[in-house]
Amino acid sequence: MSAALPVLAGTDLTEGLSAFEELVSGKILIWVLLGAGLYLTIRTRGVQMRLFSRAVHLVARSRHQRGSLSSFQAFVIGLGGRVGTGNIAGVALAVTLGGPGALFWMWVVALLGMATSFAESTLAQVFKVRSADGIFRGGPAYYMQRGLGLRGGSGLSRLGRIMGVVFAAMLVFSYGLIFPMVQSNTIALTLQEGHGVGTTVTAIALMAITAPILLSGMRVVARVTEWLVPLMAVAYLGVVLVVIIVSAPRVPGVLVDIVAGAFHLKAGLAGTAGGFFATFLNGTKRGLFSNEAGQGSSPNGAATADVAHPVTQGLIQALGVFIDTIVICTATGLTVLLASPQVYTPGVEPEWAETTLVQHALADALPGGWVVGFMTFVVFTFAYSSVLGYSAFAEINVSYLGGGRTSSVILRLAMTAATGLGAVVALELAWVMADIALALMTILNLVAVLWLSRWVFATLGDYDGQRARGVAEPAFVASGNPLLPRELPGDVWTAERAAARVVSLDEA
């Protein structure tokens, strides 16, 4: 009996922490995220919509690299962190529990989340610093300390530093150690169930392909994600496009069901939980936690880009939210919704709802033995790209905490070990603790973003003003800028550097 007590205590602790995490994420955080997105959308005059075409243009010409990482590399690092297995299994579960209308609410929160992502990524650019390796460092921890410190007074300076340290520590724990285990666990289960590959073999293989990339540093991580993320996205979307073409006669009806189900205008479209609130909650939660807008992870990647104006990368990162949710999550949702009633029926939860529902839906539309192999490829690339993105986020925050080259190497080794460990064990308590850390990180980040939002609006005003005067590629100069709330110290946004960036951009 005594031997069972620790297990029981651990189970009780896990259940208690899970209940706390559900309270914070489902009852508090979801409304804070929606409110922040709505506020930032209004104050920026719908920047994510009025400059959407500009964002697409910037991504298309963002491959040029100067001293730090290229704008495109920073974009795909952030996108790699956003796009994971939640875009497959999570979306499938959302439309099962919430019905077709859940997809509509994913779209709504993605549009609001684009404004939040724009704000946090712009702040990451404004308050970034150059590291000894030539790569910029920045993100929530940096703008918490530097931004609040500029408001004057030792009290706010200490508060900003405390907030930054707490945020960075929680990010390193969750993104550096636990979330890579979650992704590798998904890969291992997929290979085991679909191909009979043992988890130990998967663990060894994952460590073998992860270690060389992570130990080579952030530039190599950026180069790998630069081709891996577009490859996985194009492959997945290409197959879904074939599904849509094959099922073209049913597409208009499914789109009507999505809108009707969102407001319960049509009987029979409710999910297993039933009711408008269940549809709304499942859609918003999946949308918010899939695109990671406001969580403070992607801004770390955004800060590494060497761009002429902070708003440039803010717009590019906002487009990442659009691709993650409105493109990829929609692709998953439509694949499921277009399946026959034997695979998907609103209000009926099949045994494979959270695992292989998308695989069953693909096989339903496009029969053949290739589906299992293709879904294995999708799950592997989605999960593995997330691990690479996490490594960049964690390393930047280790640097903020004062870690040097040795600390970065230790982090990379620890992440490699965690990736292998996650394939063979399921540490439920650690995962719950990481989810709690993520929820607290998000709240801390949103407080900082809203507190420093004047810097976002001022920087956007500078960008809009230059474009209104006919400047094709605005360049940001902080020194003596009358729009900024205060003088911004540092040598990143000086007139000399702005001129050099413009010359470099013209040469590109």
Side-chain angles (χ1 to χ4, degrees):
M1 182 175 178
S2 60
L5 288 178
V7 177
L8 180 61
T11 302
D12 290 343
L13 179 59
T14 301
E15 292 177 353
L17 290 175
S18 296
F20 174 73
E21 188 275 331
E22 180 62 29
L23 172 66
V24 174
S25 298
K27 302 295 191 298
I28 300 174
L29 186 55
I30 186 173
W31 300 108
V32 176
L33 282 165
L34 289 172
L38 181 61
Y39 170 75
L40 293 168
T41 296
I42 294 172
R43 287 300 309 272
T44 59
R45 296 179 292 119
V47 63
Q48 70 271 46
M49 291 168 278
R50 65 183 177 87
L51 293 181
F52 181 82
S53 61
R54 176 69 177 171
V56 174
H57 165 75
L58 291 171
V59 168
R61 55 173 296 279
S62 63
R63 287 183 174 272
H64 178 58
Q65 181 176 334
R66 291 187 285 268
S68 189
L69 301 186
S70 73
S71 185
F72 184 77
Q73 287 174 330
F75 167 68
V76 293
I77 285 176
L79 190 59
R82 294 185 203 274
V83 178
T85 53
N87 293 74
I88 303 171
V91 175
L93 187 61
V95 296
T96 299
L97 297 178
L103 196 58
F104 175 88
W105 294 114
M106 288 184 208
W107 299 340
V108 173
V109 299
L111 289 174
L112 296 179
M114 289 174 71
T116 306
S117 181
F118 167 81
E120 61 182 357
S121 297
T122 299
L123 285 174
Q125 277 285 325
V126 169
F127 292 106
K128 68 184 180 182
V129 297
R130 189 182 293 277
S131 182
D133 61 2
I135 299 177
F136 288 118
R137 301 286 196 274
Y142 290 84
Y143 58 67
M144 286 172 187
Q145 179 175 343
R146 298 192 69 206
L148 295 183
L150 291 178
R151 295 180 68 88
S154 58
L156 281 178
S157 295
R158 285 196 297 270
L159 175 61
R161 174 60 178 171
I162 292 172
M163 290 174 64
V165 168
V166 171
F167 180 92
M170 289 192 295
L171 187 142
V172 172
F173 167 70
S174 54
Y175 281 86
L177 299 175
I178 307 303
F179 292 159
M181 295 174 64
V182 176
Q183 299 294 343
S184 64
N185 188 266
T186 302
I187 293 173
L189 291 177
T190 300
L191 290 173
Q192 185 181 48
E193 295 174 3
H195 305 277
V197 179
T199 56
T200 302
V201 174
T202 301
I204 295 173
L206 284 175
M207 289 190 290
I209 63 175
T210 299
I213 298 174
L214 296 191
L215 291 173
S216 297
M218 199 181 302
R219 292 188 188 277
V220 173
V221 169
R223 285 198 289 269
V224 173
T225 54
E226 192 173 15
W227 64 263
L228 178 61
V229 172
L231 171 65
M232 72 182 194
V234 169
Y236 184 60
L237 294 175
V239 171
V240 173
L241 180 61
V242 174
V243 172
I244 293 174
I245 293 173
V246 170
S247 309
R250 298 187 55 216
V251 171
V254 166
L255 295 177
V256 170
D257 286 347
I258 291 172
V259 177
F263 302 98
H264 280 233
L265 303 177
K266 187 176 177 182
L269 296 179
T272 56
F276 168 80
F277 187 72
T279 300
F280 171 79
L281 190 63
N282 279 285
T284 51
K285 283 183 66 176
R286 176 46 45 199
L288 288 168
F289 299 134
S290 170
N291 60 53
E292 298 192 7
Q295 292 181 7
S297 53
S298 293
N300 295 280
T304 62
D306 191 0
V307 291
H309 202 289
V311 167
T312 297
Q313 199 63 28
L315 292 172
I316 288 174
Q317 297 302 130
L319 191 62
V321 175
F322 181 90
I323 293 173
D324 173 272
T325 306
I326 297 185
V327 176
I328 297 179
C329 286
T330 297
T332 299
L334 288 177
T335 300
V336 174
L337 296 177
L338 287 169
S340 65
Q342 289 74 25
V343 175
Y344 171 78
T345 301
V348 177
E349 185 176 358
E351 60 183 20
W352 57 75
E354 196 173 355
T355 53
T356 58
L357 178 56
V358 176
Q359 180 176 309
H360 280 78
L362 281 177
D364 184 64
L366 306 171
W370 63 275
V371 172
V372 174
F374 175 74
M375 286 306 300
T376 300
F377 164 79
V378 170
V379 170
F380 175 83
T381 53
F382 276 37
Y384 192 68
S385 68
S386 293
V387 173
L388 297 181
Y390 298 161
S391 71
F393 303 159
E395 183 173 339
I396 288 169
N397 283 271
V398 165
S399 178
Y400 171 82
L401 292 171
R405 180 176 177 81
T406 301
S407 297
S408 294
V409 172
I410 293 174
L411 170 69
R412 296 165 190 166
L413 290 173
M415 287 195 68
T416 301
T419 302
L421 184 62
V424 295
V425 299
L427 302 177
E428 294 185 11
L429 178 60
W431 293 356
V432 172
M433 292 175 65
D435 285 339
I436 292 175
L438 179 61
L440 297 178
M441 278 170 49
T442 306
I443 292 174
L444 200 60
N445 179 53
L446 289 174
V447 168
V449 169
L450 295 175
W451 201 338
L452 299 172
S453 59
R454 288 191 302 166
W455 289 88
V456 178
F457 307 144
T459 308
L460 178 59
D462 178 87
Y463 188 85
D464 284 337
Q466 290 191 51
R467 294 195 69 226
R469 294 192 298 272
V471 179
E473 300 296 340
F476 183 65
V477 178
S479 305
N481 192 318
L483 296 177
L484 297 181
R486 286 175 176 80
E487 191 69 20
L488 179 65
D491 63 349
V492 174
W493 299 110
T494 61
E496 293 78 8
R497 291 192 179 275
R501 289 187 180 103
V502 170
V503 171
S504 179
L505 194 62
D506 288 341
E507 291 175 351

